[in-house]
Amino acid sequence: MKTQDTDTPISLQRRRLLQGLGVTGATVAGSLCPFSAHASAGASGATHAPQSDATLQSQSFYGTHQSGVVTPRPAAGIMVAFDVLATDRAGLERLFRTLTERIRVLMQGGAVPQIDPKLPPPDSGILGPVVHPDNLTVTVSVGDSLFDDRFGLASAKPRQLQRMTSFPNDALDTERCHGDLTLQFCANTPDTNIHALRDIIKTLPDLLLVRWKQEGTIPPVPVQPGRPEPSARNFLGFLDGSANPKADDAKLMDGIVWIQPGSEEPAWAAHGSYQVVRIIRNYVERWDRTPLQEQETIFGRRKYDGAPLSGGTDEFTEPDYRNDPEGKITPLDAHIRLANPRMPGTERNLILRRPFNYSNGVQNNGQLDMGLLMIIYQASLVEGFITVQNRLNGEPLEEYIKPIGGGYYFTLPGAAGPDDYLGRTLIQATA
Amino acid sequence: MKRQILATVLFAGLLAAPLPGMAADASLDLVTPITDYKIYVTRNVDALVKATRTFTDAVKRGDVDTAKRLFGPTRMHYERIEPIAELFSDLDASVDSREDDHEHGVGSSDFTGFHRIEYGLWIKNSTAGLTPLADKLMADVLDLQKRIAGLTFPPSIVVGGAAALMEEVAATKVSGEEDRYSHTDLYDFQANVEGSKKIFDLLRPQLASQDSAFIQKVDGNFKTVDTILAKYKTTDGGYVTYDKVDERDRKVLSGAVNTLAEDLSTLRGKLGLS
């Protein structure tokens, strides 16, 4: 990180910067809000902005695995799917190499290059003259369509990678599905993600075309010393992520998330993962008109403390169905029971969920267009998401949710160091 | 508003001092290309007047088929010179605004010009009620011709026009939103690209001395666009409707157009214009 002034805390530098803009800020505020008390004549100061001491948090780019998968989930995420415009393998390699370089730079942060002001600035400037990492990760995955006839990759396609097909409750909108390549942006603030996305769009106009984009957020959870970190709530008001496998348990992740060397997958794919994206609209008005008891029966958990209906006082109690074979306590078709029946063998279907809540505006009927941007990682697409979703087909929750977009992708192995690039093993395996 | 910008640009153009590393004397260097560009624009606006007369005559005598046939080709003369035509924002709005530029859509009383007539011809398949609109369009185009004749061409607008035209394509042509009733977007597409290429060609000598790799890259992307557009030419010299352009070609066009917009956005800076 190139900070020009290493002895000065960043927050102070930032305050100085804001003070520099203060006069303009006050003028603008004054003209927009004529009744504002702060706009009194002669006053100067920045327009209030939320403050954060987390903008210097950063994740490392290089590694066996890409970051952004088992990395703790920050508050803001964007999933963007692209069409790849490269016309040959050289173009594809240039795409992978350039993406690698931009992601590395963006995750590290630093001063924005200064150039002749007669030229368009190379950086959008939305994060100011010094870009803070702000916990940014950008994770690159490739879709089934990248393995078509264009680049000679067909023989190297991960064995389970396929075009997402519709499940019975889906109403897929093809304009929000599929794509040759996805970038998952995660950061502490949405602006950091948008900055990174705009950088990549500006850098690669000849190789990438945005196909669809979905943004999402996660509400912060209270810190409770001495207690495990709670899950955040989704837009149905339930804790989403309870009973997710522990992402900081490397051995567990090797089993559930990461393709292992020597597996049935092509060798190049080792340390990658299958990524599932589902844009799931929630009918929140209808949900809010549903009795609490019914909401809890549909999920199989209590709404406020997250405890499973089978017992306990919080979300950390393991659901227990052993004495409830007929579903008298936890209905057999409750969401959590179908998703994970906790029967011998069903541990093979464990997946790592990384959801964000989205809110897009209003539908034609005046109802809110919001729901869940569900992102899932797993070492086996078939035993993971596809099996779990097939078990969920027909669940009572379906009356309140409608999957409308997304796709299946393969998250590339990580770049090991400065001589490596994302996608190298795939390119070399098909040379 | 546009006029203010124009005045500022002109003034700035006169005072502009080239930065070190830039063309030695930008304003002097650009005299020839600007003069040539004015000739190009004048020829196109003359052709626009002529073609608009034939087109509006067909509308007024109720000849729907002829009017439909002339719609795409007539607009090309306007689309080639959009960077200049758009300087007169009142005329641009009355000649070339689209339904979505108006809060009340097609029913808006101030929705006039090519696209309002296009709506009548294709959606209503009729010229009923179009005569006043045809007269207004003709009058506007004549007004445009007159105003262009009296215009001093600002170098920054001319040079910036190459990128502005590609922005037009990227924003409304690639999506098929420009000619939403007739789907004759490829005519506009081709004309915007020709207009952009013309500016680039006129500036070629100034650019060649400093950046031949840049020229090669821009030429390559213009060629990509030309090659794809050529696939969709009809035997009478026109273009098929935009819905016939296959998805892969649309993507390649988007990529080339976005890259041209990105590259050509540096032209003003490269030539030392503020």
Side-chain angles (χ1 to χ4, degrees):
Chain A
M1 167 96 204
K2 286 176 236 157
T3 18
Q4 317 111 316
D5 189 351
T6 44
D7 296 333
T8 314
I10 282 297
S11 59
L12 188 58
Q13 286 182 25
R14 189 166 170 77
R15 214 165 301 139
R16 282 180 192 156
L17 173 70
L18 289 172
Q19 278 162 357
L21 296 172
V23 177
T24 320
T27 311
V28 171
S31 63
L32 290 178
C33 318
F35 304 111
S36 163
H38 301 292
S40 58
S44 81
T47 304
H48 175 74
Q51 296 191 320
S52 166
D53 55 9
T55 61
L56 287 181
Q57 290 176 352
S58 66
Q59 300 292 329
S60 62
F61 171 69
Y62 293 119
T64 309
H65 307 118
Q66 283 196 72
S67 53
V69 177
V70 301
T71 312
R73 190 177 48 154
I78 310 183
M79 182 58 74
V80 189
F82 297 87
D83 294 319
V84 168
L85 303 176
T87 51
D88 53 22
R89 289 175 56 87
L92 185 66
E93 182 175 333
R94 180 162 61 88
L95 168 63
F96 284 142
R97 285 181 181 274
T98 313
L99 270 179
T100 302
E101 176 57 15
R102 289 322 297 163
I103 293 170
R104 184 189 67 76
V105 167
L106 289 161
M107 282 177 59
Q108 174 185 297
V112 166
Q114 301 298 310
I115 59 145
D116 179 348
K118 290 190 174 70
L119 290 164
D123 185 89
S124 65
I126 65 172
L127 298 181
V130 178
V131 173
H132 293 186
D134 200 30
N135 239 341
L136 176 73
T137 59
V138 184
T139 310
V140 182
S141 309
V142 294
D144 161 73
S145 53
L146 196 76
F147 296 85
D148 64 12
D149 57 356
R150 285 171 291 168
F151 309 110
L153 305 178
S155 63
K157 189 164 92 166
R159 290 172 60 122
Q160 301 182 10
L161 188 59
Q162 54 195 285
R163 186 180 167 93
M164 183 174 75
T165 52
S166 204
F167 291 89
N169 187 44
D170 291 6
L172 299 180
D173 170 1
T174 191
E175 295 193 344
R176 301 174 73 183
C177 289
H178 318 305
D180 293 330
L181 183 143
T182 62
L183 297 179
Q184 173 202 269
F185 299 82
C186 296
N188 291 335
T189 46
D191 305 67
T192 301
N193 287 332
I194 289 168
H195 173 264
L197 171 60
R198 282 172 56 176
D199 183 285
I200 285 168
I201 289 173
K202 187 174 177 63
T203 307
L204 289 163
D206 56 333
L207 294 175
L208 286 181
L209 183 63
V210 175
R211 184 181 172 95
W212 57 262
K213 158 172 121 7
Q214 182 60 62
E215 300 186 29
T217 54
I218 290 301
V221 291
V223 181
Q224 295 170 308
R227 307 218 350 113
E229 199 184 323
S231 299
R233 289 182 192 274
N234 58 29
F235 278 157
L236 299 179
F238 278 74
L239 298 174
D240 202 320
S242 306
N244 215 10
K246 287 187 169 49
D248 55 3
D249 182 336
K251 199 158 169 246
L252 191 64
M253 291 300 103
D254 277 348
I256 294 172
V257 169
W258 304 118
I259 305 289
Q260 295 304 300
S263 74
E264 62 173 18
E265 292 291 353
W268 75 265
H271 311 301
S273 185
Y274 285 99
Q275 179 192 59
V276 171
V277 181
R278 302 274 287 171
I279 302 173
I280 305 170
R281 185 172 289 160
N282 293 171
Y283 299 129
V284 296
E285 288 87 350
R286 183 169 184 184
W287 182 252
D288 290 345
R289 294 189 278 256
T290 302
L292 177 60
Q293 193 178 16
E294 193 177 327
Q295 293 186 8
E296 295 184 334
T297 313
I298 285 172
F299 268 105
R301 283 188 186 276
R302 292 210 298 259
K303 188 165 187 173
Y304 295 106
D305 59 17
L309 296 184
S310 57
T313 53
D314 59 33
E315 61 169 320
F316 306 109
T317 313
E318 290 271 313
D320 184 352
Y321 311 128
R322 283 170 300 181
N323 300 317
D324 183 25
E326 291 169 47
K328 286 187 174 144
I329 301 162
T330 307
L332 298 177
D333 58 4
H335 181 75
I336 66 163
R337 189 160 183 174
L338 286 175
N340 184 359
R342 293 166 195 272
M343 312 246 276
T346 58
E347 69 283 351
R348 284 206 314 272
N349 312 123
L350 287 174
I351 53 181
L352 182 69
R353 291 165 289 155
R354 194 178 172 86
F356 291 88
N357 299 330
Y358 76 83
S359 176
N360 284 348
V362 183
Q363 296 175 72
N364 288 339
N365 57 11
Q367 295 191 335
L368 298 174
D369 181 359
M370 53 173 58
L372 194 70
L373 168 61
M374 178 56 103
I375 304 166
I376 303 167
Y377 293 96
Q378 60 250 286
S380 170
L381 175 61
V382 173
E383 290 197 335
F385 171 73
I386 292 178
T387 297
V388 172
Q389 182 55 52
N390 277 326
R391 280 202 300 253
L392 289 169
N393 287 342
E395 61 169 332
L397 182 61
E398 284 185 350
E399 212 161 317
Y400 303 91
I401 63 172
K402 186 58 76 179
I404 50 121
Y408 298 155
Y409 311 94
F410 188 82
T411 301
L412 298 171
D419 297 331
D420 200 0
Y421 65 92
L422 299 170
R424 177 187 56 80
T425 56
L426 171 59
I427 294 285
Q428 289 181 351
T430 50
Chain B
M1 183 97 153
K2 290 268 179 187
R3 296 213 162 180
Q4 258 178 349
I5 292 168
L6 187 57
T8 315
V9 167
L10 268 174
F11 188 61
L14 285 172
L15 296 179
L19 283 188
M22 289 293 176
D25 188 342
S27 52
L28 207 70
D29 264 8
L30 292 175
V31 169
T32 308
I34 302 290
T35 312
D36 289 348
Y37 187 64
K38 181 154 189 183
I39 294 170
Y40 173 78
V41 170
T42 305
R43 280 188 186 149
N44 265 287
V45 77
D46 291 350
L48 175 68
V49 166
K50 209 172 143 205
T52 304
R53 180 157 286 127
T54 319
F55 170 66
T56 53
D57 282 351
V59 170
K60 285 162 73 177
R61 68 169 184 271
D63 186 347
V64 174
D65 289 344
T66 303
K68 278 184 175 175
R69 189 166 47 75
L70 295 175
F71 177 77
T74 302
R75 288 182 49 73
M76 289 183 85
H77 304 295
Y78 189 85
E79 293 287 322
R80 281 192 198 102
I81 60 168
E82 256 187 332
I84 297 300
E86 280 181 352
L87 292 175
F88 309 106
S89 57
D90 57 330
L91 286 181
D92 190 45
S94 66
V95 168
D96 197 33
S97 67
R98 294 184 309 268
E99 181 183 330
D100 45 86
D101 293 323
H102 304 271
E103 186 184 351
H104 301 292
V106 176
S108 304
S109 58
D110 58 351
F111 180 30
T112 60
F114 277 113
H115 296 300
R116 177 63 187 84
I117 296 175
E118 178 195 3
Y119 174 81
L121 291 174
W122 270 272
I123 301 300
K124 302 284 181 197
N125 197 27
S126 158
T127 57
L130 296 184
T131 294
L133 291 161
D135 286 338
K136 163 92 173 129
L137 176 62
M138 193 62 233
D140 283 344
V141 165
L142 284 167
D143 192 4
L144 177 66
Q145 183 184 37
K146 205 168 110 196
R147 291 201 212 174
I148 286 177
L151 177 74
T152 304
F153 277 37
S156 174
I157 294 288
V158 174
V159 175
L165 282 158
M166 298 320 297
E167 295 289 358
E168 285 282 329
V169 177
T172 56
K173 271 69 173 189
V174 161
S175 59
E177 282 172 75
E178 176 77 20
D179 303 309
R180 63 191 60 186
Y181 319 116
S182 61
H183 305 296
T184 54
D185 306 82
L186 286 181
Y187 290 85
D188 300 57
F189 203 128
Q190 172 72 36
N192 282 164
V193 172
E194 280 175 19
S196 177
K197 177 95 183 333
K198 179 70 186 181
I199 295 170
F200 183 70
D201 282 341
L202 290 173
L203 297 170
R204 195 176 287 270
Q206 283 75 11
L207 293 164
S209 57
Q210 51 168 312
D211 199 343
S212 60
F214 174 76
I215 291 198
Q216 262 182 13
K217 187 176 171 211
V218 171
D219 276 340
N221 280 308
F222 272 127
K223 189 154 175 276
T224 301
V225 173
D226 280 348
T227 308
I228 292 186
L229 288 179
K231 282 169 65 177
Y232 295 99
K233 266 202 167 112
T234 53
T235 45
D236 64 354
Y239 287 93
V240 301
T241 52
Y242 196 63
D243 48 297
K244 306 232 167 46
V245 181
D246 79 41
E247 211 190 315
R248 217 177 249 200
D249 282 342
R250 285 189 193 208
K251 286 176 193 168
V252 178
L253 282 173
S254 285
V257 164
N258 288 337
T259 311
L260 282 167
E262 199 65 57
D263 286 340
L264 295 173
S265 73
T266 65
L267 274 190
R268 279 183 299 172
K270 281 186 193 298
L271 296 175
L273 293 167
S274 350

